[in-house]
């Protein structure tokens, strides 16, 4: 038999197994089954199913599904509230961590001393012949990664930018950071430079693009 004929008979096999075909259709199916082993095998599989379907209770199939528990909406809402609370707490923790990181970092590699409860340890150094009206003090500390610098400056023209540096024995300088002067307001800062204190001869402050030291303090007098 052709596959087209088998496809046509396929739609009738289930009705044939249930005994729902008229005489003419039943004769046509039986004639096809005589010459088609595939359709006979399919009918063998359908026959047990057809016998079980006869035992189904249509009235039970038409019964409405059971109603959900009255507590279900409250349970769902409570779960959503707990999830929103967890997400809110996670967002707060992330924002707090970002805020702490932002407070600890400043352009130029220095940190405001007000973020540190106590003055950093280190060796005090004395600036020689500061300009009139300028007061400055500093401490330097040898670190594994270089030199830490604690600097206080008062009296430099407000709004002007200055560089802080360490000078090597050959006269070259390594920049430790920069700051904007506050006039009569004392500027306190912590800076860091990747130059060992033993390799530096002087701590200095100068204006950008000007090699003249406005403040300078020898490190190994």
């Amino acid at each position: 038999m052709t596959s087209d004929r088998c496809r046509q008979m396929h739609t009738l096999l289930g009705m044939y197994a249930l005994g729902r075909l008229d005489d003419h259709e039943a004769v046509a199916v039986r004639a096809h089954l005589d010459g088609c082993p595939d359709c006979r095998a399919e009918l063998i599989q359908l026959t047990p199913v057809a016998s079980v379907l006869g035992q189904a209770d249509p009235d039970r199939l038409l019964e409405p599904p059971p109603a959900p528990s009255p507590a279900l909406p409250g349970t769902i809402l409570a779960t959503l509230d707990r999830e929103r609370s967890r997400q809110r707490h996670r967002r707060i923790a992330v924002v707090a961590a970002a805020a702490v990181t932002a407070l600890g970092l400043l352009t130029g590699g220095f940190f405001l001393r007000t973020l540190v409860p106590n003055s950093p340890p280190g060796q005090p150094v004395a600036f020689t012949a500061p300009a009139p009206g300028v007061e400055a003090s500093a401490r330097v500390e040898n670190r594994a990664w270089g030199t830490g610098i604690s600097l206080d400056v008062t009296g430099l023209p407000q709004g002007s930018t200055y560089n802080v540096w360490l000078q090597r024995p050959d006269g070259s300088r390594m920049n430790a950071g920069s700051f904007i002067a506050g006039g009569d307001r004392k500027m306190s800062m912590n800076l860091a430079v990747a130059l060992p204190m033993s390799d530096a001869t002087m701590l200095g402050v100068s204006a950008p693009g000007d090699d003249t030291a406005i403040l300078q303090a020898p490190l190994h007098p």
Side-chain angles (χ1 to χ4, degrees), residues 128-215:
T128 60
V134 177
E135 297 180 3
S137 62
R139 302 176 71 90
V140 293
E141 182 183 8
N142 196 40
R143 302 287 185 86
W145 40 260
T147 303
I149 303 170
S150 174
L151 177 64
D152 293 335
V153 180
T154 306
L156 290 174
Q158 184 171 357
S160 299
T161 302
Y162 295 92
N163 293 333
V164 182
W165 39 265
L166 292 183
Q167 182 170 294
R168 300 184 183 92
D170 62 3
S172 61
R173 298 173 178 177
M174 179 170 286
N175 192 46
S178 61
F179 67 94
I180 299 176
D184 294 335
R185 180 167 56 91
K186 182 171 72 172
M187 303 298 296
S188 298
M189 65 209 76
N190 290 339
L191 305 97
V193 58
L195 178 67
M197 201 168 72
S198 59
D199 295 340
T201 60
M202 183 181 297
L203 168 65
V205 177
S206 61
D210 188 351
D211 292 337
T212 304
I214 298 173
L215 295 168

Side-chain angles (χ1 to χ4, degrees), residues 2-12 39:
T2 64
S3 57
D4 290 340
R5 183 59 175 167
C6 287
R7 282 194 292 271
Q8 293 174 0
M9 287 296 163
H10 179 76
T11 59
L12 298 177
C39 289

Side-chain angles (χ1 to χ4, degrees), residues 61-79:
L61 295 177
L62 295 177
E63 290 180 358
S69 170
L72 181 59
T75 302
I76 295 174
L77 292 176
T79 302

Side-chain angles (χ1 to χ4, degrees), residues 17-18 45-58 61:
L18 292 170
Q45 295 177 352
L46 291 174
T47 300
V49 177
S51 62
V52 173
L53 287 176
Q55 302 175 14
D57 185 356
L61 295 177

Side-chain angles (χ1 to χ4, degrees), residues 118-131:
N118 298 315
S119 296
Q123 171 189 332
V125 296
F127 289 99
T128 60

